[in-house]
Amino acid sequence: MKRVKVSSPGKLMLMGDHAVVHDRQCLVTAVNQRLWVTIEETSQTGEILIDAPDVGLDQFVVSLKQGELTDLPKAAKFVVQAIRNFDQFHPVKTGLHLTTASDFNATFGFGSSSAVTVASIKALAELQQLALSEAQLFKLAYQTVLDIQGVGSGFDLAAAIWGGTLLFSTGGKEIRPLVVKNLPLVVGYTGVKADTATLVKQVGGFLSAAPELVTPIFDTIQESVIQAEQDLEETNWAHLGQLMNLHQGLLNALGVSSPELERLVFAARSAGAYGAKLSGAGGGDCMIALVDNKTRSVVEEAIQTAGGQVLPVELSAPGIKVEE
Ligand code: MEV
């Protein structure tokens, strides 16, 4: 029976949060925290056996073809839907035993759902010796995320596939790798787990209710993404920091910041960071602060004193990899 192991990285949104769901762009970087999926063929045709100790799944059995996903734990939903979507195009003729392992805690908001979706599809393609292009992999994975979550730009899937730092447009209309040297970021975790889909829907509701107010916010975020891309190229950290602060204010205006995020953001700024903002959907999860060699340790300490946990991550990590 054949067996394949694939790994994919987590991500951090740098700029463009929320606006990228609404036909705009964002900057995203892959982080050196990875998730591994091993898939082994079994003789139990039509059955998927899942072991995902990180999310409490032990010998969890589900049908390949049928059954509602609503009762499944979140991690299993993405895996099972990914396999079912793949099966529609490339029928799976054996049973499957899927095992996951992860460097990162699923609560940090580094994108464990997108990483597991992408890695599962890639592992299946490898099992079938199918040359799936990055674009085809993205398409299947994006369909899976929309099936489960109903909303999302797909930026996290692109980071998990391509790795590095990317300029990304909604739904993957544009995915452009950027050359970014040593972006000096500190990542602070609030200790609060946020639900991305709920926050995305909340902002979508705000847009529908008051397009005349929310559209200009998205347009300004979009402009900040364009200027930030230039700053990354020119390593203009002072200007990038200003853009991050502006972006944070706009995310706060959209209603997705939180007392915990604000505390860490202000602590980082007071300690001398060029700028700081939440990263992702908001409501909790992580914030990022732009520092330099002189301010890094002071900012890290300030984030910790304000109740945050500093996460040691490297940016622009490699994308999806077949390991075995
Ligand atoms: C969530 O990590 C980032 C959002 O922009 C949602 C998305 O792009 O899918 C809020």
Side-chain angles (χ1 to χ4, degrees):
M1 288 281 169
K2 280 190 282 181
R3 180 177 186 269
V4 172
K5 185 173 184 182
V6 170
S7 76
S8 55
K11 54 73 193 165
L12 264 181
M13 173 79 92
L14 300 175
M15 298 284 287
D17 323 56
H18 282 285
V20 67
V21 178
H22 303 277
D23 225 1
R24 286 163 177 91
Q25 294 173 308
C26 75
L27 297 170
V28 57
T29 191
V31 296
N32 68 333
Q33 313 260 316
R34 300 186 80 79
L35 182 142
W36 289 266
V37 170
T38 305
I39 304 189
E40 215 168 346
E41 291 179 345
T42 73
S43 53
Q44 308 295 312
T45 305
E47 191 179 287
I48 308 169
L49 174 65
I50 305 174
D51 278 304
D54 282 10
V55 289
L57 292 181
D58 178 26
Q59 299 274 297
F60 189 85
V61 179
V62 58
S63 160
L64 177 79
K65 305 264 180 205
Q66 309 141 18
E68 284 294 319
L69 296 183
T70 36
D71 299 335
L72 299 188
K74 190 174 169 207
K77 279 187 196 167
F78 285 90
V79 166
V80 175
Q81 189 62 26
I83 295 173
R84 287 181 178 171
N85 284 343
F86 182 91
D87 177 60
Q88 301 225 325
F89 296 97
H90 311 285
V92 176
K93 302 206 174 84
T94 64
L96 299 171
H97 179 197
L98 187 143
T99 309
T100 68
S102 170
D103 260 352
F104 56 93
N105 186 326
T107 56
F108 289 159
F110 281 158
S112 50
S113 306
S114 46
V116 81
T117 302
V118 159
S120 301
I121 297 171
K122 178 71 176 172
L124 279 177
E126 288 293 314
L127 271 185
Q128 297 196 2
Q129 293 171 329
L130 197 77
L132 206 61
S133 69
E134 285 156 339
Q136 287 169 318
L137 174 56
F138 177 84
K139 202 167 163 217
L140 264 177
Y142 191 41
Q143 184 56 53
T144 302
V145 167
L146 292 181
D147 290 343
I148 302 287
Q149 227 168 244
V151 286
S153 65
F155 81 106
D156 39 5
L157 301 165
I161 296 170
W162 278 268
T165 300
L166 305 170
L167 179 98
F168 176 89
S169 304
T170 317
K173 283 193 284 290
E174 185 184 2
I175 299 172
R176 183 153 47 83
L178 305 177
V179 180
V180 175
K181 281 182 238 113
N182 305 325
L183 180 64
L185 279 190
V186 172
V187 181
Y189 177 58
T190 56
V192 178
K193 177 77 199 121
D195 182 49
T196 299
T198 306
L199 288 151
V200 168
K201 285 173 191 161
Q202 185 187 308
V203 171
F206 194 6
L207 175 67
S208 309
E212 71 291 357
L213 298 176
V214 176
T215 304
I217 294 181
F218 287 164
D219 289 340
T220 307
I221 292 177
Q222 167 66 25
E223 179 57 32
S224 76
V225 168
I226 293 169
Q227 293 193 18
E229 187 196 346
Q230 178 113 15
D231 291 339
L232 284 176
E233 213 169 277
E234 296 168 359
T235 59
N236 188 348
W237 301 151
H239 189 252
L240 180 57
Q242 272 179 357
L243 293 176
M244 289 168 69
N245 290 342
L246 173 115
H247 197 321
Q248 172 62 23
L250 297 173
L251 289 167
N252 195 344
L254 290 172
V256 298
S257 195
S258 71
E260 294 82 7
L261 281 164
E262 292 295 327
R263 252 200 305 280
L264 304 194
V265 161
F266 277 92
R269 289 180 193 161
S270 307
Y274 289 114
K277 65 182 276 291
L278 68 86
S279 168
D285 287 346
C286 288
M287 51 73 71
I288 50 177
L290 189 62
V291 296
D292 60 24
N293 285 340
K294 282 189 276 191
T295 53
R296 176 178 289 276
S297 59
V298 190
V299 169
E300 286 181 352
E301 225 175 279
I303 288 174
Q304 270 155 353
T305 306
Q309 181 185 350
V310 173
L311 304 178
V313 293
E314 282 169 32
L315 312 179
S316 280
I320 197 156
K321 263 195 229 165
V322 178
E323 306 274 0
E324 291 168 18

